[in-house]
Amino acid sequence: MRHGRRPAGRPARHSRGPALRIGRSLALVLPVVLVLSGTLAVSRVNWSGDSADPALAASAENVSSRTAARAPHEALRDELLIELQEKDPGAALTHLQEAVNDRPSLAKHCASLARSLGRAAVRVYGPTRAQSYARPVCDTSFASGVAQFG
């Protein structure tokens, strides 16, 4: 055999060196990376059934269940605003006072609810007429809402 010639069917030694090293490195590293990424993916899944992730919770709910899941004071605010438009601010204020008396947990929201009613009353009735409905519900917060917006 002459120097510099290789037998047929056998690749040159320099051409398989780097490729072989890269292939061996990938063969060792790739399974480790795949196992770790799979483990991390599985650990991120909420297996308990509780929907603590807001993105998952929002995608799983429909519109009616979102409405039902609102806080009681938000639902009451909507009811009061409808009552203000359909009847008058006096009826809405009476309803607010009754709701706070029936459910003491709403007392901490009473002032903000009454201010919202005051602002809405100004939009519907104007500042002078809205002020005529003011009464001492929730520390005169209705009048404060009228004054802020009127």
Side-chain angles (χ1 to χ4, degrees):
M1 196 195 256
R2 290 176 29 180
H3 189 280
R5 293 194 97 180
R6 63 181 195 280
R10 192 165 174 181
R13 183 165 258 224
H14 69 287
S15 67
R16 74 177 169 168
L20 187 62
R21 282 194 303 264
I22 291 171
R24 285 183 182 162
S25 297
L26 281 176
L28 291 173
V29 173
L30 192 58
V32 173
V33 169
L34 291 175
V35 168
L36 286 176
S37 64
T39 303
L40 291 173
V42 169
S43 69
R44 296 263 311 145
V45 173
N46 182 0
W47 296 102
S48 69
D50 295 335
S51 187
D53 185 7
L56 293 175
S59 66
E61 294 177 340
N62 61 26
V63 174
S64 63
S65 67
R66 273 190 228 149
T67 305
R70 290 184 314 160
H73 70 278
E74 292 172 343
L76 178 60
R77 176 180 290 123
D78 292 345
E79 290 174 25
L80 294 172
L81 291 173
I82 290 169
E83 187 172 15
L84 182 138
Q85 290 177 347
E86 291 177 352
K87 296 180 182 176
D88 61 49
L93 286 170
T94 300
H95 185 189
L96 172 61
Q97 188 66 54
E98 290 170 353
V100 170
N101 291 343
D102 292 343
R103 294 180 70 184
S105 62
L106 292 172
K108 63 184 173 186
H109 303 287
C110 187
S112 69
L113 292 170
R115 273 193 298 277
S116 296
L117 288 175
R119 288 190 290 267
V122 169
R123 283 192 295 267
V124 174
Y125 296 98
T128 305
R129 187 161 175 220
Q131 189 63 39
S132 70
Y133 290 101
R135 62 173 89 153
V137 176
C138 307
D139 299 327
T140 65
S141 295
F142 177 82
S144 171
V146 170
Q148 283 178 345
F149 199 73

